[in-house]
Amino acid sequence: MGHLLVVESWVGSMSRLLPRAIREGGHEFTFLTRDLHHYLRAAPGLPGDGPHPLLAARNVVTADTNDVDALLPLVERLHEVLGFDGVVSSCDYYLPAVARIAERLGLPGPTVLAVEAACHKGLTRRVLAEAAVPGPRFAVCGDAARAAAAAREIGYPLVVKPVDLCGGMLVREVRDERELDSACRALSDFPVNARGQERSPVLLLEELLTGPEVSVETVSFGGATHVVGVTDKSIGGAPAFIETGHMFPAGMDPALEREAVDTAVAAINALGLDHVVCHTEIKLTPRGPRVVEVNPRPAGNRITELVRHVTGVDLAAACLDVALGRRPDLTPRPTGVHSAAVAFLLPETTGTLAGIDGADDIRERREVLELALAEPGRTVRAATSNNEYLGHLMTADTGGGGAREIAERLLSRLRPTYVEGAAEERAPEQRTPDESAPEGGPPQDRAPDGSPPGERVPQERSVEPGPAVPA
């Protein structure tokens, strides 16, 4: 079968989903990383998942995956010896590098420009605005002064985002200039991401969108985009935006679902994404669906597994298929599960986790598909992003669309206890999701604005509608 080059990964569940899909597909893989100990320090997956997934690799190669220009000739030499049929990563921060490697080696994959635009939130906004795909009014700003001017034009409240971080890190709702200044300082104090890559100094301001949020799970191949389904998302933690749970399928009004799907497909087409699995987040506002972001990889936070439990469709396997240039099998199969949901347990105080009561009463219930909880002794503070979960509970409903209600009801029986007042070693914003959440999270490539690491982008701003104008 195929030999895949896997460039970095998350340490959580996705680090097992890809190797599992590779094994089940009869493929093999070579793993390429800049820091093998990053993966060996963690114990990814769930209890009983078996040996470390990297033990299944045909080869493990260490190289500086953050220096793509130096990496490309090395990968060419590896290709001459090992012969790769495709290249993939589950880690957002390395998706542009994967696209460049595929282009260099003549392997299947999305174009470099499409991936770079999707992985840079400011570029995404500009491309979608030019294509008239509905989204918020926005501004891309080079510093706090330009952000303050743009905020007055957009109007408060608004959302401040880094253009190149993941997992909701440093995404904040701000209601006035004081809060905007605080959000800008937090971003400027975080110049290097969790994988040691220099961040872009620009930031994104967006009109605050209101309404429920969903995500559209798709697979694009051969110029056509296939919709696998729509996931219902729960968001909390204001002024941060923390994903507190998901349910698949969303169980929404068919007409509204069609609008959300059409908006997501329009965004994927506008970005020019093909040969890729996408997870596109959509806000269902009173004015209609609006694109939140387009992620050119399978959904995280256990959504990929929710889809598989309900439909039998394996999005991790589909990711491998399109990377190998093969048409994926997206045929739904009866599984006996009508809906599946995941709910995340969040810390609500600062201290050291002493334990989580109630787990024994929940673990053996027939509705429970997974229960993963943090171990006692972990230092926590009230959650400010998706990187700080204490665990998750996944449930199934074999009779209808009640999986979310089941998950939330059972989650309410879990009671974390703490040793209060313990100081944190590092603020959660300084942790990678890999080492914070049982699910695991993402790492990073070159600045998603397309500039090499360390190169500062022009200081500019633009407010939709209309083209970017100098500040």
Side-chain angles (χ1 to χ4, degrees):
M1 300 297 281
H3 182 192
L4 288 135
L5 176 63
V6 179
V7 181
E8 303 289 4
S9 180
W10 292 130
V11 173
S13 63
M14 191 56 71
S15 70
R16 290 190 177 271
L17 292 183
L18 277 182
R20 184 195 69 191
I22 291 171
R23 182 183 68 253
E24 292 178 353
H27 311 304
E28 58 184 0
F29 73 102
T30 290
F31 190 70
L32 181 63
T33 178
R34 68 190 290 265
D35 180 11
L36 181 58
H37 293 287
H38 181 82
Y39 301 91
L40 300 181
R41 283 194 299 267
L46 298 166
D49 268 353
H52 197 288
L54 291 186
L55 291 175
R58 173 177 163 184
N59 311 285
V60 175
V61 179
T62 302
D64 188 355
T65 51
N66 288 349
D67 186 349
V68 183
D69 291 332
L71 185 64
L72 291 174
L74 169 65
V75 171
E76 276 188 316
R77 295 193 295 272
L78 290 173
H79 184 48
E80 291 173 1
V81 176
L82 300 176
F84 303 120
D85 300 299
V87 53
V88 294
S89 179
S90 66
C91 179
D92 300 57
Y93 299 149
Y94 293 96
L95 296 176
V98 163
R100 289 186 63 187
I101 291 170
E103 179 184 73
R104 183 71 164 255
L105 301 185
L107 298 175
T111 68
V112 173
L113 287 178
V115 174
E116 288 181 342
C119 290
H120 182 288
K121 294 179 177 65
L123 292 179
T124 299
R125 283 282 170 242
R126 289 175 176 163
V127 171
L128 298 189
E130 289 171 3
V133 178
R137 299 181 72 236
F138 70 95
V140 182
C141 306
D143 58 29
R146 288 162 174 79
R152 289 190 289 271
E153 189 171 349
I154 295 173
Y156 293 98
L158 49 79
V159 179
V160 178
K161 296 181 178 180
V163 296
D164 55 2
L165 288 176
C166 308
M169 291 184 69
L170 296 172
V171 178
R172 295 290 180 273
E173 176 186 344
V174 298
R175 294 165 292 183
D176 53 37
E177 195 160 329
R178 179 187 61 81
E179 292 183 356
L180 173 63
D181 182 67
S182 175
C184 291
R185 281 189 282 107
L187 282 166
S188 65
D189 289 343
F190 196 67
V192 178
N193 69 25
R195 291 295 178 105
Q197 300 165 337
E198 275 197 59
R199 293 193 48 249
S200 169
V202 302
L203 53 93
L204 178 63
L205 269 61
E206 294 179 352
E207 167 193 9
L208 177 66
L209 300 175
T210 60
E213 187 170 318
V214 299
S215 63
V216 182
E217 321 308 336
T218 59
V219 181
S220 299
F221 183 80
T225 294
H226 178 92
V227 178
V228 176
V230 179
T231 307
D232 192 10
K233 302 169 71 68
S234 299
I235 307 295
F241 296 84
I242 303 173
E243 295 179 354
T244 59
H246 311 289
M247 185 175 77
F248 184 92
M252 56 196 295
D253 175 77
L256 187 56
E257 180 174 335
R258 173 48 53 190
E259 289 184 45
V261 164
D262 289 346
T263 302
V265 172
I268 291 166
N269 291 339
L271 289 164
L273 289 163
D274 198 7
H275 287 84
V276 68
V277 176
C278 280
H279 166 70
T280 304
E281 296 173 351
I282 303 288
K283 202 79 167 176
L284 305 175
T285 78
R287 294 178 295 147
R290 297 289 185 268
V291 176
V292 176
E293 61 185 41
V294 181
N295 299 283
R297 41 81 178 162
N301 261 6
R302 308 304 288 166
I303 293 174
T304 292
E305 287 300 87
L306 299 183
V307 172
R308 191 181 197 196
H309 280 300
V310 174
T311 69
V313 174
D314 188 344
L315 291 173
C319 178
L320 302 179
D321 285 335
V322 297
L324 292 166
R326 303 174 181 179
R327 185 172 299 278
D329 181 6
L330 302 175
T331 306
R333 297 172 177 82
T335 64
V337 175
H338 285 248
S339 64
V342 63
F344 298 102
L345 185 64
L346 300 174
E348 297 179 349
T349 188
T350 296
T352 300
L353 182 67
I356 300 176
D357 297 333
D360 291 340
D361 296 333
I362 292 173
R363 198 178 303 275
E364 300 304 321
R365 294 183 65 97
R366 62 182 180 83
E367 310 101 310
V368 174
L369 298 172
E370 294 178 3
L371 178 62
L373 300 173
E375 295 294 328
R378 176 171 154 192
T379 305
V380 301
R381 76 171 184 184
T384 58
S385 74
N386 296 342
N387 305 336
E388 297 145 354
Y389 300 134
L390 292 179
H392 72 264
L393 170 68
M394 186 186 294
T395 58
D397 183 357
T398 58
R404 163 177 278 166
E405 187 277 330
I406 296 170
E408 292 177 347
R409 173 166 46 84
L410 294 179
L411 189 81
S412 69
R413 301 181 187 179
L414 296 174
R415 298 175 299 280
T417 58
Y418 305 93
V419 178
E420 297 290 339
E424 288 198 277
E425 295 178 4
R426 287 184 289 166
E429 304 296 7
Q430 296 175 299
R431 298 195 201 115
T432 168
D434 290 349
E435 59 193 47
S436 301
E439 160 63 20
Q444 222 156 296
D445 180 61
R446 33 187 282 164
D449 53 60
S451 61
E455 182 176 308
R456 311 290 276 190
V457 300
Q459 295 179 334
E460 58 186 355
R461 68 180 176 92
S462 62
V463 178
E464 185 202 5
V469 294

